[in-house]
Amino acid sequence: MKRTKYKITLLFLLPELIFLAVFVLTPIIGTVVISFLTPGGAGLDNYYKVVTEKSPDKALVLPDNIAKARPPPWGAFIHNIVWVAIHLPIVVFLGMILAYLLHEVRGSSIVKSIFFLGMVIPMVVGGLLIRFMFDGTLGVVPVVLKTLGIKGLISKTWTNYPQTALISLILGSVWLWTGFSLTVYSAAYESLPKSYIEAAKIDGASGFQIFFKIVVPLLKHATIIVVIMTMLWDLKIFDIVYVSTLGGPGGSSNVMALVMYLYFARSLDYGRSSATAVILAIITLIPGVWFIRRVMKGAKTR
Amino acid sequence: MQRLGRLRLGKIKVKYLIINIIVWFIALAWLLPFIGVAMVSIKPFKEVVLNGWWTLTGHYTLNNFVDAWSNPVYSVATGYRNSFIVVIPSTIIPLFIAALAAYVFSRFSFPLKTMLFITLLLIMAMPQQMSVIPLFFMMNRLGLYDRLEGLILLHSAWGLAWITFFLKNFFDTLPKEVEEAARVDGASDIHIFFKIVLPMTLPAIASVAAIQFTWVWSDFFYALVFLASPDKYVVTLQVASMKGQYHIDWGLLSAGSIFAMSVPLILYALLQKYYVRGMIGWTVKG
C-alpha cells in the first residue's frame, strides 16, 4: 500500500517539481554562481564593486555627492530603507484606524473598494498615476498646494527634483498600498472578541483608551502580516520607479531592483547585476524568514 | 469627546456625523487621481494644458482613446492581444499543476516534504530579479526570447509557489471524512481528487484565478526583460513606452492607462468577494 501512495505522490508532485527546478530554482542558483564570476576568476569582486560604487545612478550606499549638503541621492539601498521607514508605519496606522472608523460609516464597503483600487491596477499604471498626481501643472498635490497659497518647490513637479523625487514616490506608494492594510485589518476586526470591548465600554473607558489598550494588542497577528508583506513589497519595488523617474533625477529615487536592472540592461554587466540581485534577495530574507517561521509555527500548532 | 458622544442633531449622533464626514472626505480625496486621469483622457490635451482638467467646460473627445488603441508604434490593441495570450494560459497552467501538488502537501507525507514546502515559501519571498539573468540566457538558447510562449512558461513557473501554498491551506480546511469514505469504498486517489475534492475547491480556484490573472496582467519586469519587439509587447509595456522622456502627452498616456487598468478593474468588480478572500486567505493563514 505504501508504494502505491508514493507513486501517486510522485505523480502529482512531478509536474510542479520539474517546472520549479527548471524555471525557478536553477536560475536562482545560477544567479548566485554568476555573481561570483569575475574576469580574474571566482571571487567577491562583483560584490565589492557593487557596494562601493560611487556614481549616483548605481550607488547602493555612498554616492559621490553625499558630501554636498543637499541629499538625496543617497545610495539605492538607503532609499529602500527610507521607503520602508516612511511607508510602513503610515500604511499600518492608516489601515488600522480606517478599519476601526469604518464600522461607524455609512457605505463603508464603497469606501473600502475605493482604497483597494490601488491594489488592483498594474503597478506601471500606479507609477504613471503617481507621476500624474505630482505633476506641476496637472497634478492633484501641487494644484492643491498652490490654491492653499504655498509657493516654491512644493508646487512644481515633484518627480523632477532630487529633493522631492523619492518622497513623492513613497507617498504615492502609500496611496497605492493602503488598501491592502485596510482589507487585512477589516477582516481582523470581524474576528475580534467583542466581549472585551463591550466590557470596557460598560466600565466607562473612552474611545481612545479602548482603541489603544484593547483593540491594538488584539490586532497583533494582523499587524505582523501587514508588516511582513509591506516590507517585502517596499524592498522589491521596481515598476513604479522605472516608469516615473527611472531612478532619477541623478539617482535620487533609485532602488535596488532598478540598480540590478540597469547593470543588466544598460551596462550588460551580468556579474554585478547578479551580485545586486543576491544582495537584494538576502535583504528580502529578513521579512522572508520571519514569514516562513510564522507559517511553520502555525503548522505545528494545528 | 465623552460629552460629544451624547450630543445629537435630531436622531444623529454628532460623533457619528463627524466620523462619516472625515472618512468620506478622505475617500473622495483618495479617488482624485483616478478622476483626474479620467478627465484628462476625455478632453483634448491641448485644452488641458491651458485650462487644467478640473473644469467641466470645454470640449470632450474620444480621440485620446482612439490614438492609444491604434497607435502605429505602441498600440493598446496589440498590447491587449498579447496580454490575453499570455495571461490566460499563465493562469490555467499553474492552477492545475499546483492543485495536484497542493493536494499531496495537504494529505500525504513523504520524504523531504518539509524542505520542499520551505522552498516554496522562500520562492514566495524572492524578488524576480533573482531568476532573470540565467533565464535570459536559457530563453535565448531555447529560442523563446521575445516570444509570448516563453513568458507563459515563466509566469506559470513563478506562480506555482504561491498558488501551491494557497491551495494547500485551502485543502487543509476541507474535512477528510468524504475522501476517507470514498477510499474505503475503493475509489482511487485520482478519482477522489478529480471527482470529489476538485468540485469542492471551486471558490479557492476562483480566488487563485482572479489574483494570478491580475498579477500576470500587471507584470512589467519579466515582460521588460524577455520581450524585445513592440508587436510582442504586453499592454503594460505598451503603456510604459507611451511616456515620453521629456514631454508627456497626458491625453494619450491617460487613455492608455485607463485601457491597461480596465481589465483588472472589471475582473475585480465581478469577482470582488473571491479577490479579497484570496488576498486575505494566503496572508492570514498561519
Side-chain angles (χ1 to χ4, degrees), chain A residues 5 9 12 16 27 31 104 106 113 115 124 129 137-138 175 187 221 225 236 239 242-243 257 261 273-274 294, chain B residues 16 20 24 30 37 48 53-54 98 101 104 125-126 129-130 133-134 164 189 220 224 243 272 280 283-284 286:
Chain A
K5 280 296 174 227
T9 311
F12 275 29
E16 171 152 320
T31 305
E104 312 278 352
R106 270 284 192 77
S113 292
F115 281 99
V124 176
L129 287 175
T137 26
L138 300 175
W175 174 74
H221 179 68
I225 303 292
K236 295 195 248 181
D239 302 10
Y242 180 93
V243 81
Y261 176 74
S273 181
S274 302
R294 284 194 64 82
Chain B
Y16 178 76
N20 266 271
W24 268 101
W30 217 260
V37 165
V48 172
W53 53 263
W54 35 85
V104 160
M126 281 282 118
Q129 281 75 19
M130 264 311 275
I133 296 182
T164 309
D189 285 305
F220 180 70
L224 185 66
K243 174 181 174 282
Q272 183 171 12
I280 305 183
T283 54
V284 167

Side-chain angles (χ1 to χ4, degrees), chain A:
Chain A
M1 249 347 222
K2 255 198 182 149
R3 219 179 272 159
T4 342
K5 280 296 174 227
Y6 280 154
K7 251 197 209 155
I8 279 293
T9 311
L10 198 60
L11 184 68
F12 275 29
L13 273 180
L14 210 55
E16 171 152 320
L17 290 178
I18 297 179
F19 244 100
L20 284 180
V22 172
F23 292 112
V24 180
L25 294 172
T26 311
I28 290 181
I29 297 174
T31 305
V32 177
V33 169
I34 297 180
S35 72
F36 289 114
L37 296 177
T38 67
L44 288 172
D45 196 50
N46 289 320
Y47 288 94
Y48 180 73
K49 289 264 166 59
V50 150
V51 172
T52 57
E53 174 67 47
K54 290 262 185 256
S55 75
D57 60 328
K58 293 231 189 62
L60 285 189
V61 187
L62 272 178
D64 251 326
N65 64 346
I66 203 167
K68 299 185 196 159
R70 254 210 294 177
W74 304 297
F77 168 69
I78 309 285
H79 291 162
N80 280 109
I81 302 294
V82 169
W83 205 304
V84 174
I86 299 180
H87 179 257
L88 179 60
I90 297 180
V91 158
V92 167
F93 182 69
L94 276 181
M96 217 191 275
I97 301 253
L98 281 172
Y100 187 62
L101 292 178
L102 276 175
H103 287 117
E104 312 278 352
V105 172
R106 270 284 192 77
S108 61
S109 54
I110 301 181
V111 174
K112 285 184 197 172
S113 292
I114 291 179
F115 281 99
F116 201 69
L117 289 179
M119 298 293 300
V120 172
I121 61 179
M123 280 302 118
V124 176
V125 175
L128 290 175
L129 287 175
I130 296 177
R131 171 67 183 78
F132 177 72
M133 81 171 88
F134 286 102
D135 184 87
T137 26
L138 300 175
V140 176
V141 176
V143 165
V144 165
L145 292 174
K146 258 184 240 172
T147 21
L148 291 178
I150 305 176
K151 295 201 166 73
L153 186 61
I154 292 198
S155 53
K156 295 199 186 170
T157 303
W158 288 40
T159 50
N160 284 351
Y161 296 90
Q163 301 91 319
T164 47
L166 184 63
I167 191 69
S168 67
L169 294 184
I170 296 179
L171 292 178
S173 72
V174 169
W175 174 74
L176 286 172
W177 187 256
T178 297
F180 172 72
S181 171
L182 176 57
T183 304
V184 173
Y185 279 120
S186 286
Y189 275 111
E190 303 307 312
S191 47
L192 278 189
K194 300 285 187 288
S195 46
Y196 288 6
I197 304 179
E198 292 305 322
K201 272 196 191 141
I202 293 175
D203 283 344
S206 76
F208 283 118
Q209 280 176 322
I210 296 182
F211 184 73
F212 284 105
K213 294 253 167 76
I214 301 180
V215 175
V216 170
L218 283 177
L219 290 174
K220 183 174 132 186
H221 179 68
T223 304
I224 293 180
I225 303 292
V226 174
V227 167
I228 293 178
M229 291 300 148
T230 308
M231 275 183 79
L232 283 172
W233 192 71
D234 290 345
L235 291 171
K236 295 195 248 181
I237 206 116
F238 177 83
D239 302 10
I240 296 177
V241 184
Y242 180 93
V243 81
S244 58
T245 62
L246 201 58
S252 58
S253 59
N254 219 348
V255 287
M256 283 192 286
L258 187 56
V259 170
M260 178 272 171
Y261 176 74
L262 291 176
Y263 274 127
F264 169 74
R266 301 287 163 95
S267 319
L268 302 182
D269 189 326
Y270 303 123
R272 290 191 208 182
S273 181
S274 302
T276 313
V278 170
I279 295 176
L280 175 58
I282 292 178
I283 295 172
T284 59
L285 280 181
I286 296 175
V289 166
W290 191 6
F291 170 66
I292 294 175
R293 289 175 95 198
R294 284 194 64 82
V295 172
M296 299 315 286
K297 232 193 314 176
K300 282 196 193 120
T301 55
R302 260 195 222 117

